[in-house]
Every structure is written in structure tokens, then in C-alpha cells.
Amino acid sequence: MSRVLVVNTGSSSIKYQLFEMDPQKVLASGLVERIGEAGSKLTHRPGDADPLVVEERMADHSDGFDRLFKAFEATGGPITDLAGIGHRVVHGGDRLTAPTLVDDAAIQAIADQAPLAPLHNPPNLLGIRIAMASFPETPQVAVFDTAFHQTMPPRAYRYALPADLAGELRIRRYGFHGTSHAYVSRKAAEHLGRPAGELNLVTLHLGNGASAAAVAGGRCIDTSMGLTPLEGLVMGTRSGDLDPAVVFYLHREAGLSVDDIDDLLNKRSGMLGLAGANDMREVARLVADGDEAATEALDVYCYRIRKYVGAYTAALGRLDALVFTAGIGENNDAVRAGVCEGLEGLGVALNAKRNKGRSKGPRTISADDSPVAVLVVPTNEELEIAEQTLAVVGG
Ligand code: ADP
């Protein structure tokens, strides 16, 4: 029993990876997309072999899981030897603060958080139920995106709202991408050869969604996402921070409904709203062509991050390392340079040549005499979920 299947069930997709944990290896991975829509598709990657692509209608998630189990059978045999199945669950609220063995009480607790993440927790739970039915003897573990941030003190997680109302509705900052921030914090400490307990870090997860975290001695003390993933940094399609009065103004002046504004701020803002492109590679192409809107958008993007780095340096009292991760953080040297530019006063000195280099593993991109180490640390949320799952099931 040395294998772990990691499952991330979304509203119309299932992402999965099967790990051999000892010695560690990815045996297979894949993605089921557009479930219940036209053009459903399964892409299954069995280890180093060619991917298997199945394009046929998948009416619901049960269909999707059936198809992916069949893909295992067709390529390397059925999934066996499972120590556990690890499920990514977006919202654990303030009750589910650690990876949790799934039982009836845990299922109820995950369902109870659904109002806080209505688009995510219900499909996450559906994935858990289907996996339980398919593998009744295998322990299932839920790993929460919010869990790592539950060590934030009240001064970081509370909004200045009437206490009774906020308490009743559980309105507070929760933070997301916790699995990634936890993973890269640990890897950063390993790379620096120092105990995590001694280090103060700012971790920047810059993907389609983006968030910053202040991590003191391995524990999160602040993060930029809030009640929902909308708060904080400028993202691919999300605005990040804005004056809440913008919402009332849009309603009163433009006649937009709550749902319209929700859609506008989550799906049509951010880099898409500013530059007309949500993918940073496309933004980079526009900037290279001299597009003014894209150039300014990139400046807004980097400046917002820089402000958070400054704020979190103050919150931490001392910064040892700044860590870039996720699609943009790992691959976009212009963004990394734009973030670090002007932070010399805080002890951040980038080495331009190292910043442009590439490597598969963690690397240092700061100058040798930079008081703050600047690192690129590739994230691996699936592996982190697999390791946490194994820890819960006692492997
Ligand atoms: P998600 O949040 O969906 O997991 P990712 O972490 O993959 O997203 O990040 C997506 C962003 O990363 C996109 O803006 C994309 O332009 C950028 N990105 C991903 N891979 C690369 C790459 N190889 N080079 C440059 N940018 C990349």
C-alpha cells in the first residue's frame, strides 16, 4: 500500500494524479474536462507513455470517473495498492484546519462550508462521494486550500465589520492556495539549508489566480485572499483589492445586479479588464508590440504585488526570502523583475542573469550580497496533497 491517488474535482472537470510514494514517482496523471457540456474530453497520461485521449460525451461526474478508471485499465491496469485517495477541497472554513480523514462528520462539515465556496465545495464533495463508492475500502482524505492560513491571528483575518454580524455569517479572511504556499515555504527552507522554523518568508503564488502569504517560522501570519479568492493581488480575470464602494457605484450608476457585478469582478476584470488578455504570455506579446494598455496593466500588476511585499515585510518584522511560484512566478522573469524593482531599500537585490535563467527545481535569483534571498520554487500542489494524505493514513 504505497500509492496515493490525488483528485481535484471541479464543476466541469476532474484533475488527477497517481503517485507511487516510495520511491516517489508519478505513475499517471490526467484531466477530464467539459463534463456535462459539448466536447467532453479525457486526456490520460500513463507515466512516460503517449497520452490517451478520449473524446466522447460525459454527462456527469460519475461518467467522468468511469472513463478515467477505464483509461487506467486500458493503459497499465486498474488502480491498485492504494494507501489513500487525497481530495483537494477549496474551503474548510474555520473548522477544518488540517487534512482530514473523510467520515460522515467530515462530509457534513465540508457541506457546511458550501455557502462560502458555492462553486467549489459541492463538486469537491461529489468527487469524494464517487471515489468512496468506487473504492469503499480505501481511506479518503480531504486537504483544504484554506487550512495553511488558519494560523493567521485575528488582527490579520478580521474585517472591521460589526462583530455580531461577521460572527454569525462567518465573514472573515480565510485565504486560499494554502497547499501551494505550504509546499513552497518548506521547499524554500530546504533550498536555503535552514530550518523552516527560523525563516520569515513572503511567498507569491502567481498563476491565473494569485495570492501572497507572509510566513513566519513555517506558519502563515497573513495572506492576500480573503473571504473569497477575489481579494488581494491583480489576477488573470479578478480585480483583487478595490474600494467596496465600487460595487454600490456600479449598481447605482450602471444598473448592474449583484450577479452582474460578481461576474464582472471575478471573470472580466484583472489583466483581462486592463489589458484585454488574461494570459500573461499574451500580455507579454502585447507589451513587446508596444501596446500601451498592456504595458500599464503589467505595471499595475507588479506594483500591487510590490505593495504586499512591503506590507508583509512590516508584518513579519524581518524578511529572509521572497519566493516566486506558479505559472507566472516560475516562468515570467519580467514580472519577477518588475516586482523586485524598487525593493532595494528592503534588502531585495535581484541578479538579472540568474533571474533570466531556467531550472526545473528551486533556485536562487538574488545577488550574492542581497540581504533578502529571492527564490523561484516550482509548486507541486498534487504532491503536497499526496504527502499530507499519506501522513493522515499513517503511511
Ligand atoms: P492556474 O492558476 O490555472 O493553475 P498557472 O499556475 O498555470 O494557472 O498559471 C497560468 C499563468 O501562468 C498564465 O498567465 C500563463 O501565461 C503563465 N504561464 C504558464 N506557463 C508559462 C510559461 N511556460 N511561460 C510563461 N508564462 C507561463
Side-chain angles (χ1 to χ4, degrees), residues 15-57:
K15 270 192 214 161
Y16 59 93
Q17 262 187 50
L18 178 65
F19 289 90
E20 170 61 57
M21 299 302 282
D22 186 25
Q24 200 181 82
K25 186 172 186 244
V26 176
L27 298 174
S29 63
L31 169 68
V32 185
E33 45 194 330
R34 292 194 285 280
I35 294 171
E37 299 168 13
S40 315
K41 180 175 168 190
L42 161 71
T43 309
H44 179 75
R45 295 174 198 284
D48 301 327
D50 288 340
L52 170 74
V53 179
V54 178
E55 293 186 57
E56 57 190 26
R57 185 168 158 70

Side-chain angles (χ1 to χ4, degrees), residues 15 205-209 278-281 326-328 331-332 358:
K15 270 192 214 161
H205 178 108
L206 310 177
N208 283 315
N278 66 298
D279 191 295
M280 256 322 167
R281 282 168 286 204
I328 296 166
N331 296 299
N332 192 316
R358 288 194 165 261

